[in-house]
Amino acid sequence: MGTVALSSGNLTASDRQILRTVNAGASSLSFLGSSFIVLCYLLFRDLRKFSFKLVFYLAISDMLCSFFSIVGDPSTGFFCYAQGYSTHFFCIASFLWTTTIAFTLHRTVVRHKTDVEDMEAMFHLYVWGTSLVMTVIRSMGNDHRHLGGAWCSSQTGRTKKAYHFITFYVPLWGAILYNGFTYFQVIRMLNNATRMAEGMSDRASDGRPDMKALNRWGYYPLILIGSWTFGTLNVIHDLIEPGHKIFWLSVLHVGTAALMGLFNSIAYGLNSSVRRAISERLDLFCPERLQRWLLANSAKSRSTGQESELVSLKVQDVH
């Protein structure tokens, strides 16, 4: 994918073919997962709330990032530029949208503010503007060319690799640290509120299912960590030892990075509200046995507490 920016190094033609295949397969899964979330948002009016709108923007970024990654190995200079810069732009936008979701939760739950919907224009300026600036900075002095690999890449000099590291991996890990700190504060505040409620109630277990679901928010930063840890290690290794690629690390780099869209669509998009909306629309088309199975699973998810559902967060329930 475009953000991988791997040079050919000491990789053989067979190695590069394997990387092309891994990249295309993983990116296709991410494209399908992200497209599914976008389609759900467009089809189901019940999902068109502000918090899920942020998930919709995240899915669009993932979908376009995956699409330009699937483009793969363009043979002309123009498509080389388009593929490399477009993938860089939309992948940055993807992890920046996760910070707006974390910010929204923090401002709503921790700071008890209700003005997040008024900040949508500022979110767009922040995400698209930052993505554009990082992409433009990366392009300075770059001479993109076709390297015969799985994607277009910039020149192999250390300066160009440093540009790529600064304009992608530095903001990426900044986003990871911000999301982790933010979700830690949200979960800690909700845990404290639940303990206070239990202390004033005879039914001490009432809040536990909700907290079990809310604690899943703590796994969201792990999506970016899992998607980009191997990539970060690979890029750092490439800066230290240019021209000497570690094949297995390159495979993990390409595979996990290209799956980011799929991970996001599962974690952020496939909540109980989405499944409930789908099951309701399928009532007229599904066999009765399948309907009973869907309803049983929907009821089970409701009985164990609302999942980490950004669609209908009710802050007053924990006060």
Side-chain angles (χ1 to χ4, degrees), residues 49-63:
K49 299 180 181 179
F50 177 74
S51 50
F52 199 80
K53 185 185 291 188
L54 298 180
V55 177
F56 169 68
Y57 296 142
L58 169 64
I60 287 179
S61 299
D62 283 330
M63 183 178 67

Side-chain angles (χ1 to χ4, degrees), residues 229-231 233-235 237 246-254:
T229 294
F230 294 113
L233 294 175
N234 199 26
V235 170
H237 174 268
I246 302 177
F247 176 66
W248 65 265
L249 185 58
S250 298
V251 171
L252 292 174
H253 178 180
V254 173

Side-chain angles (χ1 to χ4, degrees), residues 220-238:
Y220 287 167
L222 297 180
I223 295 174
L224 291 178
I225 295 175
S227 296
W228 292 106
T229 294
F230 294 113
T232 304
L233 294 175
N234 199 26
V235 170
I236 292 175
H237 174 268
D238 200 29

Side-chain angles (χ1 to χ4, degrees), residues 27-43:
S27 296
S28 297
L29 292 175
S30 289
F31 180 81
L32 292 174
S34 303
S35 300
F36 176 76
I37 300 303
V38 170
L39 187 63
C40 287
Y41 179 85
L42 296 176
L43 291 179

Side-chain angles (χ1 to χ4, degrees), residues 137-276:
I137 292 175
R138 183 195 172 189
S139 70
M140 292 179 178
N142 274 5
D143 180 20
H144 279 244
R145 56 194 175 93
H146 180 71
L147 292 178
W151 40 80
C152 286
S153 179
S154 61
Q155 288 181 324
T156 57
R158 283 187 175 178
T159 301
K160 304 301 186 286
K161 294 175 183 178
Y163 266 100
H164 178 69
F165 185 84
I166 292 171
T167 59
F168 186 83
Y169 288 94
V170 170
L172 167 69
W173 284 97
I176 291 173
L177 292 175
Y178 174 80
N179 288 352
F181 178 74
T182 300
Y183 283 118
F184 171 77
Q185 286 193 318
V186 170
I187 294 171
R188 184 180 62 176
M189 194 284 295
L190 291 174
N191 274 318
N192 291 337
T194 300
R195 282 195 293 268
M196 290 177 62
E198 290 175 351
M200 295 182 292
S201 172
D202 293 333
R203 294 179 297 174
S205 63
D206 285 351
R208 289 178 185 172
D210 288 338
M211 289 311 305
K212 184 177 180 180
L214 291 173
N215 284 335
R216 292 186 59 195
W217 285 340
Y219 295 105
Y220 287 167
L222 297 180
I223 295 174
L224 291 178
I225 295 175
S227 296
W228 292 106
T229 294
F230 294 113
T232 304
L233 294 175
N234 199 26
V235 170
I236 292 175
H237 174 268
D238 200 29
L239 284 170
I240 297 173
E241 294 188 37
H244 178 68
K245 305 300 299 182
I246 302 177
F247 176 66
W248 65 265
L249 185 58
S250 298
V251 171
L252 292 174
H253 178 180
V254 173
T256 56
L259 286 173
M260 179 179 66
L262 178 64
F263 296 153
N264 283 336
S265 64
I266 293 173
Y268 289 96
L270 290 180
N271 53 49
S272 60
S273 289
V274 174
R275 294 198 303 272
R276 189 160 51 247

